[in-house]
Amino acid sequence: MSAVYLVLLLLPLISAQTFHWGPCPNPAVQPGFNVEKYLGKWYEIEKLPASFERGKCIEANYALRKDGTIRVLNSQFYKDKVRTAEGTAVIPDMREMAKLGVSFSYFTPYSPYWVLTTDYTSVAVVYSCTDILRLFHVDYAWILSRSRFLPAETVRYAKQLLVREGIDISRMKATDQNCKDI
């Protein structure tokens, strides 16, 4: 019964997220991932809902720091202002380079940031999932591009990949990248 209370307490916190009963899926990640080629600017094309991303013109910029960690600088236009969040990405296991961890606070653990596929020059598909007591999981998925827009067939390919890996994309939404007024 205490698990039910925990779920009810957490429900308001995850209402803007995508959650499912049971543990996280375990999708395949990009083989031979090269973090140096992945660095730079990526634009968000589509995503599963995330409470921390409600604006438009969302982008992420990745840069290598001297200590070997990766600086993550996310930005979005929200409520008439450009808002940014700086975080750190790490590769916890060098045998699985495409399974990064990302944190935006010294007080929070690293969250999974798994690169499922990328060609480094035009598209990347990223997945993140956190189990809550193995009762349910909260997940995020992003389709990213080096430009603000992707051809429809590339977006379809990315979505098909997510579905093949057992990820529910029924709540996936396009990100507004029309940024001329900013």
Side-chain angles (χ1 to χ4, degrees), residues 127-142:
Y127 182 67
S128 179
C129 189
T130 302
D131 278 322
I132 311 293
L133 302 174
R134 301 204 45 90
L135 293 173
F136 65 95
H137 62 275
V138 178
D139 63 357
Y140 306 93
W142 296 272

Side-chain angles (χ1 to χ4, degrees), residues 38-71:
Y38 191 78
L39 298 174
K41 187 178 287 191
W42 289 94
Y43 298 94
E44 183 181 278
I45 303 302
E46 293 203 20
K47 68 169 172 275
L48 288 177
S51 63
F52 49 86
E53 290 180 335
R54 294 187 178 173
K56 68 179 199 171
C57 305
I58 299 172
E59 57 187 66
N61 203 328
Y62 303 95
L64 200 57
R65 290 187 176 126
K66 289 179 184 174
D67 66 1
T69 63
I70 299 160
R71 177 182 184 241

Side-chain angles (χ1 to χ4, degrees), residues 37-47 53 57-62 74-75 113 115 117-126 141-158 172 175 177:
K37 287 177 151 183
Y38 191 78
L39 298 174
K41 187 178 287 191
W42 289 94
Y43 298 94
E44 183 181 278
I45 303 302
E46 293 203 20
K47 68 169 172 275
E53 290 180 335
C57 305
I58 299 172
E59 57 187 66
N61 203 328
Y62 303 95
N74 289 348
S75 66
Y113 181 98
V115 180
T117 191
T118 185
D119 64 1
Y120 304 104
T121 60
S122 64
V123 67
V125 179
V126 177
W142 296 272
I143 299 171
L144 306 174
S145 174
R146 292 292 190 181
S147 62
R148 289 199 184 276
F149 303 98
L150 267 179
E153 61 270 13
T154 305
V155 174
R156 267 193 306 280
Y157 158 79
M172 189 161 257
T175 300
Q177 285 293 350

Side-chain angles (χ1 to χ4, degrees), residues 1-11 132-133 135-136:
M1 194 62 123
S2 63
V4 172
Y5 290 123
L6 178 63
V7 170
L8 291 174
L9 285 172
L10 291 174
L11 213 47
I132 311 293
L133 302 174
L135 293 173
F136 65 95

